[in-house]
Amino acid sequence: MAMSERPGDTGNRTPGQDRDAGGREDDLDRRRKELDAAILARRPAAGEKDRADGSSGMAGIGNALKLSSEFIAGIVVGAAIGWIIDRLAGTSPFGLVVFLLLGFGAGVLNALRSAGLITQAGIRSSGKDEGGSGRK
């Protein structure tokens, strides 16, 4: 009788069980190799990665500076206009609060336009109405 390999094993095995274990290992090795090949195919080459990392890092910093300056400029201009209106009309602090909120909205809108997430007013990106529809 065969000795059991595990504490709870009875030692009763059929001849096909050893072959199935080896088949499973072969199948796992084959699938692992296919997965490694798929990962390597999706991964960029070493030269492309170095080029992309070097240029995108500085481009990302430049884009972040541009977006933050668009946002802050809207707030500063809104606050300045509100402060001037408060000084001239004597409505302190209502003009400052109102124009600060308007400046915040304008800053968000400018940042979104600069990022390309929304288009300029009056410009349509879809080509449905273009091309001689006859409407004006």
Side-chain angles (χ1 to χ4, degrees), residues 17-104:
Q17 283 182 336
D18 291 333
R19 190 176 40 192
D20 286 341
R24 282 186 285 178
E25 288 179 14
D26 291 341
D27 185 44
L28 286 174
D29 285 340
R30 179 188 53 82
R31 291 190 308 178
R32 184 184 53 82
K33 288 177 184 176
E34 289 175 359
L35 181 61
D36 287 341
I39 289 172
L40 286 174
R42 290 180 186 240
R43 194 177 290 164
E48 293 175 13
K49 184 179 179 184
D50 292 341
R51 250 185 295 138
D53 286 346
S55 64
S56 68
M58 292 306 289
I61 292 172
N63 196 20
L65 276 171
K66 180 175 75 169
L67 292 176
S68 62
S69 66
E70 292 277 345
F71 179 68
I72 291 171
I75 293 174
V76 168
V77 168
I81 291 173
W83 183 77
I84 290 171
I85 287 176
D86 278 342
R87 290 292 170 193
L88 294 176
T91 58
S92 184
F94 298 109
L96 179 65
V97 170
V98 168
F99 279 94
L100 186 65
L101 291 174
L102 286 174
F104 178 80

